[in-house]
Amino acid sequence: MAQRVAVSDVAGGSKRTSRVRVAVRLRPYMEKQDEKAEGACVRGLGPQSLEIINWRNSTETLQYQFDVFYGEQTTQQEVFLTSVKPILPHILNGQNASVFAYGPTGAGKTHTMLGTQEQPGVIPRAVREVFQLVRAQEKAGDDWDYTIGMSYLEIYNEKVLDLLSPSTQDLPIREDKDRNIFIPGLTHTTLSSFSDFHTHFIPASLNRTTASTKLNHRSSRSHAILLIKVEKSQRVPPHRQQTGKLYLVDLAGSEDNRRTGNQGLRLKESGAINLSLFTLSKVVDSLNLGVGRVPYRDSKLTRLLQDSLGGSAHSIMITNIAPEQKYYFDTFSALNFAAKSKLIVNKPFVRETVSSNESGKRARQEPASEAATEPQ
Ligand code: ADP
Ligand code: MG
């Protein structure tokens, strides 16, 4: 039996531009993350759907649908090409965009955004592409001069901190008369090339990770926000000016700090819920439902992103999840946030015990016919 629990894909027609696209990316099973070698508790079903065990009733699975589902075999290149590259040309036309990595600590946010030297993530690929797009415009000889610049900041405990000038204190967020959001005093560095970007970004991002180990897992509790700005000015009258902003955000871990392991809720005195992350969930929900007031002003992160999230901006949230049992409840809550729809399907989830080098091979099961044929 298939039971529809929630459908929230009501964003259509004129509302479509303010929708935030939601992708889910499942990272590969990593044996060392799973002491009991219990096997994956999540698996992909198709290009937009996955299933997990229903913890309330193990004879059922929960099947979720998203704009995009990226299985554990998905490459960095594929994520970039399908989710990020298509929105970048808008930055050259004075529009704004934002890309977020959401999900619990350990599920792959930094891998998705930053990646490694061998497998570069969204950030280096997007910045390289912005340079290429600008160079192509310059070559084509249009009437505009282009400037590319960057800022890099962190929101930690509702404080805005400049990662390119670490000695600065909490910076204010302001709005100008044209409703553009800006941060007075934030370092903005002009970039002349992609290697120039590397020179400025890498030490600042290393700074952040080394500081984090000393400061009680700070990097998992703060939002790292890279801003790439493309400013263009017309060489001939009427000398128009345009600015496009791209925010690339590695969010704080979405795990509930009040819970430890899978023991259910247990209050810990340090466990304040991250206000900005909580508000971001509400903002994305209200944008995608197209109803109610969008509570941008309720947190620093959403206030900063107000002109680059929803409205005419192009936004994508990549929700990262991990397949191991110890992440189950964090996966469950991340999926409930990300899902366009959820089905409860009466079909036990047969788990395989996997070793990491076999994690790509999935146990085959009969498809749940009711779920598969039900109209979406
Ligand atoms: P987060 O930033 O969400 O805490 P990380 O990006 O640090 O998580 O990922 C945790 C670990 O999993 C890292 O060792 C990372 O290299 C690895 N990892 C994450 N996603 C993938 C992936 N898609 N493919 C291979 N390894 C991954
Ligand atoms: Mg990280």
Side-chain angles (χ1 to χ4, degrees), residues 216-319:
N216 190 21
H217 303 298
R218 173 167 170 159
S219 81
S220 69
R221 309 189 75 176
S222 71
H223 312 285
I225 303 165
L226 173 65
L227 166 62
I228 300 293
K229 218 193 256 189
V230 177
E231 290 169 288
K232 49 193 270 198
S233 50
Q234 208 173 16
R235 243 177 273 123
V236 294
H239 299 290
R240 283 165 55 213
Q241 307 242 337
Q242 277 186 354
T243 300
K245 295 193 284 189
L246 168 66
Y247 282 101
L248 299 164
V249 187
D250 186 342
L251 290 167
S254 65
E255 62 274 10
D256 188 333
N257 289 314
R258 294 170 305 177
R259 202 179 51 231
T260 48
N262 279 327
Q263 307 307 310
L265 282 179
R266 205 170 79 188
L267 279 170
K268 272 206 294 183
E269 63 292 352
S270 63
I273 287 179
N274 190 304
L275 177 67
S276 279
L277 201 61
F278 178 66
T279 309
L280 178 68
S281 307
K282 290 198 292 183
V283 165
V284 171
D285 261 352
S286 52
L287 288 170
N288 285 0
L289 289 167
V291 291
R293 181 186 75 99
V294 184
Y296 290 112
R297 285 174 177 266
D298 292 0
S299 78
K300 293 285 173 70
L301 176 73
T302 51
R303 178 66 173 146
L304 174 64
L305 293 163
Q306 183 162 352
D307 62 1
S308 308
L309 175 63
S312 61
H314 307 265
S315 314
I316 170 131
M317 168 92 63
I318 304 172
T319 302

Side-chain angles (χ1 to χ4, degrees), residues 161-204:
L161 306 167
D162 189 343
L163 289 169
L164 294 180
S165 175
S167 55
T168 51
Q169 300 295 310
D170 187 16
L171 295 166
I173 301 172
R174 300 264 158 76
E175 183 172 348
D176 72 12
K177 61 177 178 9
D178 299 318
R179 318 212 70 181
N180 298 309
I181 306 289
F182 68 104
I183 296 181
L186 180 68
T187 309
H188 188 71
T189 306
T190 301
L191 302 172
S192 53
S193 65
F194 179 70
S195 66
D196 209 12
F197 165 74
H198 255 256
T199 310
H200 289 95
F201 178 72
I202 299 299

Side-chain angles (χ1 to χ4, degrees), residues 134-185:
V134 166
R135 297 287 176 259
Q137 286 300 312
E138 288 169 341
K139 241 194 190 146
D142 70 4
D143 290 342
W144 300 81
D145 285 325
Y146 293 82
T147 312
I148 302 173
M150 70 173 276
S151 297
Y152 188 36
L153 62 143
E154 180 178 55
I155 296 179
Y156 179 65
N157 274 343
E158 291 300 285
K159 287 193 176 66
V160 177
L161 306 167
D162 189 343
L163 289 169
L164 294 180
S165 175
S167 55
T168 51
Q169 300 295 310
D170 187 16
L171 295 166
I173 301 172
R174 300 264 158 76
E175 183 172 348
D176 72 12
K177 61 177 178 9
D178 299 318
R179 318 212 70 181
N180 298 309
I181 306 289
F182 68 104
I183 296 181

Side-chain angles (χ1 to χ4, degrees), residues 105-106 109-111 208 219 250-251:
T105 301
K109 296 181 298 297
T110 304
H111 182 79
R208 176 174 181 262
S219 81
D250 186 342
L251 290 167

